[in-house]
Amino acid sequence: MRWLPLSVAILWACSLYSASADNSGVKKMKVQFATGPLLKFQICVSCGYKRVFEEYMQALYQRYPDIRIEGENYLPLPVYRHIASFLSMFKLLLIGVIIVGKDPFALFGMQAPGLWVWSQENKIYACMMVFFFSNMIENQCMSTGAFEISLNDVPVWSKLESGHLPSMQQLVQILENEMKMNVHMDTLPHHRS
């Protein structure tokens, strides 16, 4: 009976620790060959946008050989990261309890519900269901759907705001306009007061 609160506390602490380490889950993709303007992509890697990023990066390097391109994972809100981390730890604990077969409800003097009895009769199927159902919820918590693009730290495209990815033509047009505007701003005389 004493091990249950301790194991829940350890599970909670581990999930908080793993979710609070912001840089541990961040995937950074940098290409530092060029010295020109910095084009930064923040994408949802779990949504499958890494391939789109790589295709855009390759096409943009052909068109703008001096541009620097960086890409990184756009992290969800901390509360969703904590939920996903907790579910990951809880999933493993629940699968372990199912495999061991020790009735946790008996520790509280309760009768085992029908779902628990079924899981003990069908351990492999129950463990697979816990694993896949938990992974589905974890993936939903970690998916942001983001595909954010900034040029020299100025946002130029947001999938979160527009609702769709830019086509290559749209992206090239946006970059052309931004670069022309930057060149034009650099040629203007600076007045001091």
Side-chain angles (χ1 to χ4, degrees), residues 5 51 64-65 71 80 115 124 144 159 163:
R51 181 183 297 162
Y64 307 104
Y80 293 123
L115 185 61
I124 293 174
T144 60
K159 180 187 174 283

Side-chain angles (χ1 to χ4, degrees), residues 20 57 61 66 72 78 88 98 106 112 135 145 182:
S20 65
M57 183 178 69
Y61 267 129
D66 63 333
E72 64 185 25
S88 178
I98 290 172
N135 281 352
N182 286 344

Side-chain angles (χ1 to χ4, degrees), residues 108-158:
F108 298 108
M110 299 170 53
Q111 182 179 353
L115 185 61
W116 177 258
V117 174
W118 175 85
S119 73
Q120 292 305 296
E121 293 169 358
N122 305 291
K123 288 185 179 192
I124 293 174
Y125 190 62
C127 289
M128 286 177 33
M129 285 187 62
V130 167
F131 181 80
F132 288 119
F133 186 67
S134 176
N135 281 352
M136 180 184 69
I137 295 172
E138 289 172 46
N139 193 30
Q140 284 298 108
C141 288
M142 294 302 291
S143 294
T144 60
F147 197 88
E148 313 300 294
I149 305 171
S150 60
L151 180 65
N152 293 330
D153 294 327
V154 177
V156 294
W157 185 270
S158 173

Side-chain angles (χ1 to χ4, degrees), residues 34-53:
T35 58
L38 173 64
L39 185 64
K40 187 174 186 179
F41 289 79
Q42 290 184 309
I43 60 174
C44 177
V45 175
S46 65
C47 297
Y49 292 146
K50 184 177 179 184
R51 181 183 297 162
V52 176
F53 163 72

Side-chain angles (χ1 to χ4, degrees), residues 22-31 40-43 45 50 53 69-75:
D22 287 346
N23 292 333
S24 64
V26 177
K27 296 179 176 89
K28 293 199 176 200
M29 301 155 270
K30 288 187 178 184
V31 180
K40 187 174 186 179
F41 289 79
Q42 290 184 309
I43 60 174
V45 175
K50 184 177 179 184
F53 163 72
I69 299 177
E70 290 183 11
E72 64 185 25
N73 192 16
Y74 187 92
L75 293 175

Side-chain angles (χ1 to χ4, degrees), residues 155-172:
V156 294
W157 185 270
S158 173
K159 180 187 174 283
L160 296 177
E161 291 178 11
S162 68
H164 67 287
L165 294 174
S167 67
M168 184 49 96
Q169 293 82 9
Q170 284 177 313
L171 184 56
V172 167

Side-chain angles (χ1 to χ4, degrees), residues 84-118:
S85 180
F86 176 78
L87 280 175
S88 178
M89 300 288 184
F90 184 73
K91 164 185 63 181
L92 297 175
L93 177 71
L94 185 57
I95 288 172
V97 170
I98 290 172
I99 290 172
V100 169
K102 182 86 171 150
D103 184 7
F105 299 98
L107 296 173
F108 298 108
M110 299 170 53
Q111 182 179 353
L115 185 61
W116 177 258
V117 174
W118 175 85

